[in-house]
Amino acid sequence: MFSSAAELGSLSAAARELGMSPAMATKHMDALEQRLGVKLLHRTTRQLLLTDVGADYLVSCQRLLQELEEAESEVSAQRVEAVGKLRMNVPQSFGSRHIAPLIPDFCRRYPQVEVELGLSDSQQDLLQDGWDLMIRVGHLEDSLLKARRLGNCPMRVCASPEYFARHGTPKRVADLASHNCLSYTLSQQQGKGRWVFGAEADVHVPVKGTLNADNGDALLAAAIGGLGIIYQPNFIVSEAIKEGRLHSIELDHPPFDLGGVHVLFPADRRLPMKIRAMIDFLVEAFESSPCRAPQ
């Protein structure tokens, strides 16, 4: 109100400009001068003049209002233009293999977006931890977040050719009890001394092994080295299987359904364009994803 009144030379004109009554405009000015403890304007029925301190204050006000306008324009632009920092949290092994290689293409397409990629297998809270979106592998829990499916995530039971040559190849899930089974400790389906099989995840097999880890790549390296059998998602083991460093086996019960790969984001219709751009980019990229059932 003060800035408009000074520019237009009249409180009444400023009131009309800002859509309020002259009486309300006067109350705003009186409150401002009372809070500051100084006189900003000399007001008469004919004219409005700035005091010396009012002239100095006007310069600061105009600068602040300009900065505020620019800040509001920047925020509004994010609704229609992909700009700013995008914080994305993904599982470590999956992110290293299938998300990080996509980032260069995304950044070339959206050069005004700065991507912060968090790689972690631990549970994160998207809203409380300040992430813009997350990628999760497995069944989704009920939440206030929205999700879009990126692909499948079949499980494979495999070990090195050397391991099978030394210890034999299991034919049934029950045979796993006599093998060295390397378990992923963060999984509900294999982190408690048992592996789960079956389309309904209703076949439980007790297992034991000389290595348990909270990272799939660590288990992969150990299996390639001949230590034991691993039960891991296709996206972790597929390359090693193609190269012959691991052999995948089928047992008398199918692997449990891990539940697929999803990108999670806030359930807000007014998502910034940077988030919508990344979601659409990921959906497009994963149309030919390795996160599919093995051929």
Side-chain angles (χ1 to χ4, degrees):
M1 171 55 66
F2 166 66
S3 180
S4 294
E7 179 182 352
L8 298 174
S10 164
L11 274 176
S12 297
R16 289 192 297 271
E17 179 79 12
L18 298 176
M20 65 178 68
S21 68
M24 182 58 69
T26 300
K27 287 184 178 180
H28 278 303
M29 278 306 311
D30 290 343
L32 178 61
E33 290 179 330
Q34 183 177 0
R35 180 167 61 84
L36 295 175
V38 295
K39 194 73 172 176
L40 299 174
L41 298 171
H42 292 302
R43 286 173 273 174
T44 69
T45 55
R46 290 189 171 186
Q47 60 182 342
L48 182 151
L49 299 173
L50 287 168
T51 64
D52 289 341
V53 69
D56 292 338
Y57 186 59
L58 178 63
V59 173
S60 297
C61 286
Q62 290 174 334
R63 183 183 69 251
L64 292 172
L65 289 171
Q66 177 64 30
E67 291 176 357
L68 177 60
E69 182 178 350
E70 291 172 357
E72 291 179 344
S73 297
E74 182 178 339
V75 171
S76 297
Q78 293 187 28
R79 292 284 310 283
V80 296
E81 185 178 2
V83 297
K85 178 181 285 189
L86 175 71
R87 303 187 71 240
M88 179 165 59
N89 182 270
V90 301
Q92 185 170 351
S93 296
F94 184 84
S96 297
R97 282 175 168 80
H98 302 299
I99 299 301
L102 298 175
I103 299 303
D105 284 343
F106 177 84
C107 289
R108 281 190 286 269
R109 188 179 299 185
Y110 301 102
Q112 296 186 76
V113 177
E114 173 191 349
V115 179
E116 179 181 335
L117 188 63
L119 300 173
S120 173
D121 289 340
S122 63
Q123 292 296 319
Q124 302 279 326
D125 187 297
L126 183 144
L127 299 177
Q128 290 188 2
D129 296 333
W131 299 105
D132 293 307
L133 55 81
M134 297 191 302
I135 292 178
R136 285 295 172 260
V137 177
H139 292 284
L140 300 178
E141 298 180 358
D142 292 336
S143 73
L144 299 178
L145 304 177
K146 296 188 69 175
R148 288 187 68 177
R149 188 180 182 92
L150 298 179
N152 303 321
C153 195
M155 297 289 290
R156 312 284 291 272
V157 177
C158 49
S160 70
E162 294 76 16
Y163 177 87
F164 287 139
R166 291 196 312 268
H167 302 282
T169 302
K171 303 298 182 183
R172 302 173 302 157
V173 295
D175 296 339
L176 294 172
S178 61
H179 283 267
N180 196 36
C181 296
L182 316 180
S183 296
Y184 179 59
T185 57
L186 297 181
S187 169
Q188 295 294 322
Q189 289 76 27
Q190 58 173 279
K192 299 180 179 179
R194 56 157 177 74
W195 285 2
V196 176
F197 290 85
E200 303 298 326
D202 55 354
V203 179
H204 295 190
V205 181
V207 297
K208 61 182 181 298
T210 54
L211 173 67
N212 299 305
D214 62 359
N215 179 264
D217 283 319
L219 297 173
L220 172 67
I224 291 174
L227 183 60
I229 298 175
I230 58 174
Y231 188 19
Q232 287 291 295
N234 187 56
F235 71 81
I236 288 181
V237 300
S238 60
E239 183 176 349
I241 292 172
K242 290 178 181 178
E243 295 172 350
R245 294 184 293 165
L246 292 180
H247 281 180
S248 177
I249 60 174
E250 293 186 4
L251 303 172
D252 57 337
H253 292 281
F256 73 94
D257 177 12
L258 191 56
V261 182
H262 296 83
V263 55
L264 308 179
F265 51 95
D268 189 343
R269 295 180 180 178
R270 297 168 296 177
L271 283 176
M273 179 57 72
K274 63 183 179 182
I275 299 180
R276 287 185 283 159
M278 177 59 84
I279 293 169
D280 291 341
F281 176 83
L282 291 172
V283 170
E284 175 186 334
F286 276 85
E287 288 180 352
S288 57
S289 167
C291 300
R292 305 296 180 191
Q295 299 299 317

